[in-house]
Amino acid sequence: MVLVQSTSDLKSIGQLICSVLLFLFVLFLAYVAARFAGSFQSNVLNKRSNIQVIEAFRLSNNKMVEIVKIGNRYLALAVCKDSITVLSELDESEIKEQEVSLKPIDFNSILDKIKHEKQEKNKSN
């Protein structure tokens, strides 16, 4: 009777391990799919395109104003749920393009800053 109990326990542990490994594999596949979809939809493809969204401002849930560069022309567009309306054409001198710089985050400097602030707070008390 004890022998049957131990094999049943081993079988349960084996099923648990297989389930965890299967879960990790599915999680990995989801990560790979998300990375692929993200790179496909990113601006990497849009850099070769003649159409580029410069800025978008949400007015409500389904209404936006966008500044779009099409070729060498800048347009202000009203984008609604079922329609897009050209508001005006803008001169290039009117556009202030924001530079997006993705610098890596330095967690050590953030932690040092927090430690420094905590030390200053402790000194003042």
Side-chain angles (χ1 to χ4, degrees), residues 98-116:
Q98 299 175 354
E99 293 183 18
V100 178
S101 62
L102 298 176
K103 295 185 282 185
I105 298 172
D106 184 18
F107 288 107
N108 286 333
S109 65
I110 294 171
L111 288 175
D112 289 341
K113 182 179 176 182
I114 292 171
K115 287 179 185 176
H116 180 71

Side-chain angles (χ1 to χ4, degrees), residues 46-125:
N46 290 338
K47 287 182 182 176
R48 292 180 267 153
S49 175
N50 288 316
I51 301 172
Q52 184 179 13
V53 176
I54 304 298
E55 189 173 345
F57 182 76
R58 183 171 301 279
L59 299 172
S60 68
N61 284 343
N62 57 1
K63 295 178 184 172
M64 295 179 68
V65 174
E66 293 185 356
I67 299 175
V68 180
K69 181 179 180 183
I70 300 175
N72 292 327
R73 295 173 50 193
Y74 289 89
L75 300 172
L77 303 176
V79 180
C80 299
K81 182 179 178 185
D82 295 326
S83 66
I84 299 174
T85 306
V86 177
L87 298 176
S88 69
E89 186 170 345
L90 305 171
D91 293 330
E92 190 172 345
S93 62
E94 296 177 316
I95 305 297
K96 296 178 185 176
E97 289 194 40
Q98 299 175 354
E99 293 183 18
V100 178
S101 62
L102 298 176
K103 295 185 282 185
I105 298 172
D106 184 18
F107 288 107
N108 286 333
S109 65
I110 294 171
L111 288 175
D112 289 341
K113 182 179 176 182
I114 292 171
K115 287 179 185 176
H116 180 71
E117 288 174 359
K118 190 174 182 179
Q119 289 174 352
E120 291 295 321
K121 185 178 177 182
N122 287 341
K123 286 180 183 179
S124 65
N125 288 337

